[in-house]
Amino acid sequence: MAKSTTPKGFRDFNPLETSRRSYIFNTIEKIFQLYGYQAIETPAMENLSTLTGKYGEEGDKLLFKVLNSGDFLGKLSEGEIASGKSTKISDKIAEKGLRYDLTVPFARYVVEHFNEITFPFKRYQIQPVWRADRPQKGRYREFYQCDVDVIGSDSLLNEVELIQIICDVFNKLHIDITIKLNHRKVLLGIMEGIGEADKFNEITGIIDKLHKVGIDQVEKELIAKKLNAVAVEQLKSLLTLKNHSNKEKLKVLNRIAGNTKSGANGIEELMLILNSLESSGSKIPVDIDMALARGLNYYTGTIIEVIARDVKIGSICGGGRYDDLTGIFGLPDVSGVGVSFGADRIYDVLLELGQFPEDNMLATQLLFVNFGEKEATHCLPLIQAVRKAGISSELYPENVKLKKQMSYADKLHIPFVVMIGEDEIKTGLFTMKNMKSGEQQKLDLEGIINEINT
Amino acid sequence: MAKSTTPKGFRDFNPLETSRRSYIFNTIEKIFQLYGYQAIETPAMENLSTLTGKYGEEGDKLLFKVLNSGDFLGKLSEGEIASGKSTKISDKIAEKGLRYDLTVPFARYVVEHFNEITFPFKRYQIQPVWRADRPQKGRYREFYQCDVDVIGSDSLLNEVELIQIICDVFNKLHIDITIKLNHRKVLLGIMEGIGEADKFNEITGIIDKLHKVGIDQVEKELIAKKLNAVAVEQLKSLLTLKNHSNKEKLKVLNRIAGNTKSGANGIEELMLILNSLESSGSKIPVDIDMALARGLNYYTGTIIEVIARDVKIGSICGGGRYDDLTGIFGLPDVSGVGVSFGADRIYDVLLELGQFPEDNMLATQLLFVNFGEKEATHCLPLIQAVRKAGISSELYPENVKLKKQMSYADKLHIPFVVMIGEDEIKTGLFTMKNMKSGEQQKLDLEGIINEINT
């Protein structure tokens, strides 16, 4: 029969990769817990009515839809079938879709379980999401998000806390980062200040690409959108404030947007966040970035994005405040703020930086060589005793040549091998080999356990 | 807008449920690692060609199929569309399906990555699977399997090890179990011994239901299948050996099936497994059960099934040896053996037995009360210091009434609350309340850390 492979855009993870991924998940999860967040899980599938229309037109196209089971065509009229229009028919033959992100399912969760939840609700969620995107380097059709959100509180202390979490996570992972910070209201204030509020979406779309295309290209595109010349100059003066401190940037910003209600409000909030971060004592690499807009349009306040300083891979974490996420499910006026860590990109960054801990592989620590049925049987209670002492160990299951067994230990990076043959059974002293140093010594069971555990 | 809910047969997990599920996964995973198994992961989606035909006709119907993206109808001829036959069309508009179990993806993995794998390959895999089954109590459309397998070794020491793992897992979880053991070759030997080998599938199908329907019903069905009277009597004598020891059972079995090649071979293997388990020192509740057949027909040797003694819920773990699983993907003659733990049923058992550890909720340990902006700012560096000491803590984000903040701590079972008002800022001595005892004391930062960490 034909050889089967993983579908395009999907990946297997071998033991080394899986253990490295666990290292990332565990690091992130421990920090979420340290800050008092609790885990929830939602199902892989949601009703398509829950998902559709939440991610823009592009997003809708990227939803993986699950075919109804049974006679799915039975529900269609003959006319519909004959029409042969995929877009029309897909809604009727597929009622469920795979999770596209963790934010929309979380909003659905909050509304569905509203009465059981104690607010402010601090939750985290680490689960895979699926997107029918064209696969390319660094873009997968199945990838993990690690989301952390507070819902039911509009205090800026939540923003402060999330930024601290970001810092702690990347410190722990040894990744140098810049946390880019902006505010939707600041963006709105700027557009009002330069007299171009009606072109909000076009302008933010253009300036969001600044770091990719450069200021000259941005200027060209702004002019193409028929912005007035003063507006273009003012935007340029904001976007080229590269080597200025956050406070200097806010000053310039204040001149342009401070007179508008939105602008003043956004600037004040950014100031408060910066001041609180300063009071909290830790040095945090936050950088006000007026070009940051972020695509998803449910953000209404702070916007956050994290980039790795030493690896060019785009954003590895991002989020912001949304004032009305649950509104789409019938529960208005519940403010929330959250960020999402992209575990798969963080993996790529750690790999490129060579920052995975070396002893991360959770391999067997001790291999018992198999010299035959009698010897193997003698090993059975010994290996159980070793495991009871917390040492992960295994008995080679087959009585094959010693060389093959040693090569197995070698390939799996098993650090210790114990050989128990006829002589060793008689004396109760077993030959243990340190696979790194090559050193051998005769030890009893207790000696072996002590040697490995120290 | 309409309220959205989880699709039928799918579940959300709240923080308490999620942490209890983690307790199960972590317990199982630690033991897998202790025995030298390594984790892999495979994608949620496989090509349907990988999945179809591996689970019998019933299984094929329960596969969740994922609609091709884009113009999926474009690939169909007009005749196919007009025919309106769901079964015919689904193959063409859906090329991928969701994982139905972890065994078939594992077989696909072994073949795809054959050259990178060191054999014997001891792997575990803890991931969800999906089945379009009719939802009912204890049966979900999304559930987790925890699979542990050795592939590339036909040594019975692997069976012994898996049975030890089963024992360790349920010991650790405080669930009393019976491990039911049988052997495909023993079943074949019986059928040959009673002269009914041609009715193997029908007979095993009937006797597999013994514990559900009772011996009288089984007898009736056997007679209906036109078995000869002596054969029925012999089967009855085997199936009613309830209070006999395993060795006594094997003796009776030997009289009936010992003369056949398969029977003698199967009996010998079961003996070897039982003897090795005895040598390994631990008391293991294994029970030879001649009625055990297990549905999936890829098993060729030992068959294992675990039931909880005190909860009626069916099998909570099961598996067996398969001599040719990877053969379906073009790699013949690679023997393997494995078992799968059903985490969702184990959850239900632990719940019914009240055996979840009480302090399992990973809640915040310390809440800082928020008395206003000035006080909150003063708390910021303190809370960071507390977290640095490994204590999970949070600052209430809003300056609301003390009563509301205390009620928040209460509902989330936060054991300690610290109050830092104007006086406390002056003296550096903070009021800490033990929420269980109601006791309050004045402590400095170090005192608080010590109090909680002891």
Side-chain angles (χ1 to χ4, degrees):
Chain A
M1 210 175 274
K3 202 169 157 173
S4 283
T5 57
T6 43
K8 218 176 73 177
F10 292 86
R11 299 168 293 167
D12 286 325
F13 297 108
N14 69 26
L16 178 63
E17 290 159 344
T18 305
S19 87
R20 285 176 165 174
R21 288 165 60 84
S22 294
Y23 162 72
I24 295 172
F25 295 134
N26 291 341
T27 303
I28 291 176
E29 184 167 28
K30 266 188 205 148
I31 289 166
F32 288 171
Q33 290 171 350
L34 194 61
Y35 280 77
Y37 289 77
Q38 300 186 310
I40 67 160
E41 291 199 346
T42 62
M45 266 177 244
E46 296 277 353
N47 290 317
L48 274 174
S49 56
T50 302
L51 302 176
T52 312
K54 313 300 188 296
Y55 307 107
E57 225 173 287
E58 258 327 289
D60 281 354
K61 279 188 205 151
L62 301 185
L63 290 172
F64 275 115
K65 297 175 182 177
V66 178
L67 207 56
N68 296 344
S69 33
D71 178 22
F72 55 85
L73 288 179
K75 290 186 189 167
L76 295 179
S77 72
E78 273 181 38
E80 282 169 326
I81 293 176
S83 83
K85 284 260 174 5
S86 298
T87 43
K88 262 196 183 166
I89 291 181
S90 83
D91 292 352
K92 308 221 169 167
I93 62 178
E95 280 157 7
K96 289 186 284 285
L98 293 179
R99 199 162 50 209
Y100 178 92
D101 74 355
L102 302 178
T103 309
V104 168
F106 175 50
R108 196 264 310 139
Y109 177 98
V110 169
V111 178
E112 187 169 346
H113 304 279
F114 187 74
N115 293 322
E116 315 153 24
I117 297 173
T118 305
F119 291 94
F121 183 33
K122 301 174 73 169
R123 89 87 173 76
Y124 72 86
Q125 194 170 349
I126 300 179
Q127 294 192 277
V129 302
W130 295 272
R131 295 182 187 178
D133 227 328
R134 195 175 296 274
Q136 62 181 53
K137 193 178 176 301
R139 196 202 278 160
Y140 311 107
R141 292 184 147 186
E142 172 176 55
F143 57 97
Y144 267 75
Q145 292 191 333
C146 312
D147 275 28
V148 58
D149 290 79
V150 196
I151 196 159
S153 161
D154 55 13
S155 162
L156 293 173
L157 287 171
N158 299 306
E159 270 89 340
V160 172
E161 191 172 83
L162 290 172
I163 292 169
Q164 290 174 328
I165 287 177
I166 291 171
C167 247
D168 277 11
V169 165
F170 291 109
N171 257 336
K172 204 84 181 179
L173 293 174
H174 306 289
I175 297 176
D176 262 345
I177 54 159
T178 300
I179 302 174
K180 302 202 289 184
L181 202 63
N182 201 3
H183 200 292
R184 276 263 159 180
K185 287 186 183 158
V186 165
L187 283 170
L188 187 61
I190 294 172
M191 305 314 156
E192 286 171 6
I194 63 174
E196 299 282 4
D198 53 327
K199 293 187 182 133
F200 181 84
N201 284 330
E202 290 103 310
I203 299 176
T204 52
I206 292 169
I207 65 175
D208 199 30
K209 293 183 291 182
L210 172 67
H211 302 292
K212 264 192 203 156
V213 301
I215 187 69
D216 293 343
Q217 176 64 23
V218 166
E219 186 176 2
K220 238 185 251 171
E221 293 189 27
L222 290 174
I223 292 169
K225 288 281 170 208
K226 300 197 174 138
L227 257 66
N228 69 70
V230 182
V232 173
E233 276 315 304
Q234 283 180 305
L235 275 177
K236 265 182 73 179
S237 73
L238 280 174
L239 297 176
T240 46
L241 289 173
K242 267 202 170 168
N243 299 314
H244 295 65
S245 73
N246 289 322
K247 293 210 168 138
E248 287 167 329
K249 285 183 193 169
L250 288 176
K251 249 186 221 160
V252 180
L253 192 56
N254 203 37
R255 280 205 299 271
I256 293 173
N259 292 328
T260 69
K261 202 183 150 198
S262 295
N265 188 215
I267 293 168
E268 193 199 343
E269 293 204 4
L270 289 180
M271 287 284 277
L272 266 166
I273 294 169
L274 292 176
N275 288 339
S276 292
L277 285 172
E278 214 174 285
S279 318
S280 77
S282 15
K283 222 184 121 27
I284 288 179
V286 168
D287 186 28
I288 301 276
D289 183 346
M290 256 94 67
L292 179 66
R294 284 186 75 79
L296 288 169
N297 44 19
Y298 47 66
Y299 293 121
T300 50
T302 329
I303 340 176
I304 301 167
E305 200 166 275
V306 181
I307 54 163
R309 286 199 197 162
D310 306 317
V311 181
K312 279 203 173 122
I313 198 168
S315 139
I316 51 177
C317 173
R321 176 168 291 276
Y322 40 84
D323 275 339
D324 198 27
L325 188 68
T326 58
I328 47 175
F329 298 121
L331 180 72
D333 302 324
V334 183
S335 187
V337 57
V339 295
S340 178
F341 291 80
D344 297 74
R345 280 203 181 159
I346 292 172
Y347 184 100
D348 293 344
V349 169
L350 286 173
L351 204 62
E352 192 167 329
L353 296 176
Q355 282 290 12
F356 279 113
E358 255 198 55
D359 57 343
N360 191 39
M361 269 302 285
L362 297 157
T364 296
Q365 293 170 274
L366 178 63
L367 175 74
F368 284 73
V369 171
N370 188 330
F371 285 115
E373 202 183 312
K374 195 182 137 209
E375 290 84 352
T377 304
H378 188 84
C379 287
L380 287 173
L382 302 175
I383 188 168
Q384 287 300 78
V386 170
R387 286 175 182 144
K388 209 158 237 165
I391 296 167
S392 116
S393 49
E394 56 185 288
L395 167 63
Y396 196 88
E398 320 254 348
N399 173 21
V400 294
K401 279 190 185 141
L402 180 62
K403 201 180 152 192
K404 192 171 176 191
Q405 299 189 44
M406 294 308 257
S407 142
Y408 173 85
D410 215 42
K411 280 184 187 158
L412 292 185
H413 307 287
I414 299 175
F416 297 98
V417 169
V418 62
M419 283 162 277
I420 306 184
E422 223 170 299
D423 284 356
E424 281 86 355
I425 293 180
K426 268 186 214 145
T427 60
L429 282 175
F430 314 129
T431 309
M432 187 163 88
K433 181 173 180 179
N434 181 321
M435 293 295 283
K436 245 190 189 162
S437 65
E439 203 189 340
Q440 294 202 12
Q441 46 184 326
K442 292 257 183 191
L443 293 167
D444 62 6
L445 189 67
E446 211 180 329
I448 289 175
I449 292 171
N450 287 336
E451 179 73 18
I452 296 178
N453 271 342
T454 51
Chain B
M1 209 175 273
K3 201 168 157 172
S4 283
T5 57
T6 44
K8 218 175 73 175
F10 291 86
R11 299 168 292 166
D12 286 327
F13 297 107
N14 69 26
L16 179 62
E17 290 160 343
T18 305
S19 87
R20 285 176 165 175
R21 288 165 60 83
S22 295
Y23 163 71
I24 296 173
F25 295 133
N26 292 341
T27 303
I28 291 176
E29 185 167 27
K30 266 188 204 147
I31 289 167
F32 288 170
Q33 291 171 350
L34 193 59
Y35 280 77
Y37 289 77
Q38 299 187 310
I40 67 160
E41 291 199 346
T42 64
M45 265 178 246
E46 295 278 351
N47 290 317
L48 274 175
S49 56
T50 302
L51 301 176
T52 311
K54 312 301 187 299
Y55 307 106
E57 226 174 286
E58 257 327 289
D60 280 353
K61 280 188 203 151
L62 301 184
L63 290 172
F64 274 115
K65 296 173 183 179
V66 179
L67 207 55
N68 296 345
S69 34
D71 178 21
F72 54 85
L73 288 179
K75 289 187 190 166
L76 295 179
S77 71
E78 273 182 38
E80 283 168 325
I81 294 176
S83 82
K85 283 262 174 9
S86 299
T87 42
K88 264 193 182 167
I89 291 181
S90 82
D91 292 351
K92 308 219 169 168
I93 63 177
E95 279 158 9
K96 288 186 284 287
L98 293 178
R99 199 164 48 208
Y100 177 92
D101 74 355
L102 303 179
T103 309
V104 168
F106 174 51
R108 195 264 309 140
Y109 177 98
V110 169
V111 178
E112 189 168 346
H113 303 280
F114 187 75
N115 292 322
E116 314 154 23
I117 298 174
T118 305
F119 292 94
F121 184 32
K122 301 173 74 170
R123 89 86 174 75
Y124 71 87
Q125 195 171 349
I126 299 179
Q127 293 193 277
V129 302
W130 296 273
R131 295 183 186 176
D133 228 330
R134 194 175 296 276
Q136 62 181 53
K137 193 179 175 298
R139 198 203 275 159
Y140 312 106
R141 291 183 148 188
E142 174 176 54
F143 57 96
Y144 267 75
Q145 293 191 332
C146 312
D147 275 28
V148 57
D149 291 80
V150 195
I151 196 158
S153 159
D154 55 13
S155 161
L156 294 173
L157 286 170
N158 298 305
E159 271 89 339
V160 171
E161 191 173 82
L162 290 172
I163 292 170
Q164 289 173 329
I165 286 177
I166 291 172
C167 245
D168 277 11
V169 165
F170 291 110
N171 257 336
K172 204 84 180 177
L173 293 173
H174 305 290
I175 297 177
D176 261 347
I177 54 159
T178 300
I179 303 173
K180 303 202 289 186
L181 201 63
N182 201 4
H183 199 291
R184 276 263 157 178
K185 286 187 183 158
V186 164
L187 284 170
L188 188 60
I190 294 173
M191 304 315 157
E192 286 171 7
I194 63 174
E196 301 280 5
D198 53 326
K199 292 186 182 134
F200 181 84
N201 284 328
E202 290 102 309
I203 299 176
T204 52
I206 291 168
I207 65 176
D208 199 30
K209 294 183 292 183
L210 171 70
H211 302 292
K212 263 193 204 157
V213 300
I215 186 70
D216 293 343
Q217 177 64 23
V218 165
E219 187 177 359
K220 237 184 252 172
E221 293 189 28
L222 289 175
I223 292 169
K225 288 281 171 206
K226 301 202 173 134
L227 254 67
N228 69 70
V230 181
V232 172
E233 274 318 302
Q234 283 179 308
L235 275 176
K236 265 182 74 180
S237 73
L238 279 174
L239 297 176
T240 48
L241 288 174
K242 267 203 168 163
N243 298 313
H244 296 64
S245 74
N246 289 322
K247 294 210 166 135
E248 286 167 331
K249 284 183 192 167
L250 288 177
K251 249 187 221 160
V252 180
L253 191 57
N254 204 37
R255 279 205 299 272
I256 294 172
N259 292 327
T260 70
K261 201 183 149 195
S262 297
N265 187 217
I267 292 168
E268 193 199 342
E269 292 204 5
L270 288 180
M271 287 283 277
L272 265 165
I273 293 171
L274 291 176
N275 288 339
S276 292
L277 286 172
E278 215 174 285
S279 319
S280 78
S282 16
K283 221 184 123 22
I284 289 180
V286 167
D287 187 28
I288 300 276
D289 183 347
M290 256 92 69
L292 179 66
R294 285 186 74 80
L296 288 170
N297 45 18
Y298 46 66
Y299 294 122
T300 49
T302 329
I303 340 175
I304 301 168
E305 200 166 275
V306 181
I307 55 163
R309 287 199 195 160
D310 306 317
V311 180
K312 279 202 174 124
I313 199 171
S315 137
I316 52 177
C317 174
R321 178 170 288 278
Y322 39 85
D323 275 338
D324 198 26
L325 189 68
T326 57
I328 48 177
F329 298 121
L331 181 71
D333 303 323
V334 183
S335 187
V337 57
V339 295
S340 178
F341 291 79
D344 297 73
R345 282 203 179 158
I346 292 172
Y347 184 99
D348 294 344
V349 168
L350 286 173
L351 204 62
E352 191 167 329
L353 296 175
Q355 282 291 11
F356 278 113
E358 257 197 53
D359 57 342
N360 191 40
M361 269 302 284
L362 296 157
T364 294
Q365 291 171 275
L366 178 64
L367 176 74
F368 284 73
V369 171
N370 188 330
F371 286 114
E373 202 183 314
K374 195 182 135 210
E375 291 84 352
T377 304
H378 189 84
C379 288
L380 287 173
L382 302 175
I383 188 167
Q384 286 300 77
V386 170
R387 286 174 184 147
K388 210 159 235 166
I391 295 168
S392 116
S393 49
E394 55 185 291
L395 167 63
Y396 196 88
E398 319 255 349
N399 173 22
V400 294
K401 278 189 187 147
L402 181 61
K403 201 179 151 191
K404 191 169 176 194
Q405 299 188 46
M406 294 308 255
S407 139
Y408 172 86
D410 215 42
K411 280 186 186 156
L412 292 186
H413 307 288
I414 299 175
F416 297 98
V417 169
V418 63
M419 283 162 278
I420 304 183
E422 222 170 299
D423 284 356
E424 282 86 355
I425 293 180
K426 268 185 215 146
T427 61
L429 282 176
F430 313 130
T431 308
M432 185 163 87
K433 183 173 179 178
N434 180 322
M435 293 295 283
K436 245 191 189 163
S437 66
E439 204 188 341
Q440 295 201 12
Q441 46 183 325
K442 293 256 183 191
L443 293 167
D444 63 4
L445 189 68
E446 209 181 329
I448 289 175
I449 291 171
N450 287 336
E451 179 72 18
I452 296 178
N453 270 342
T454 51

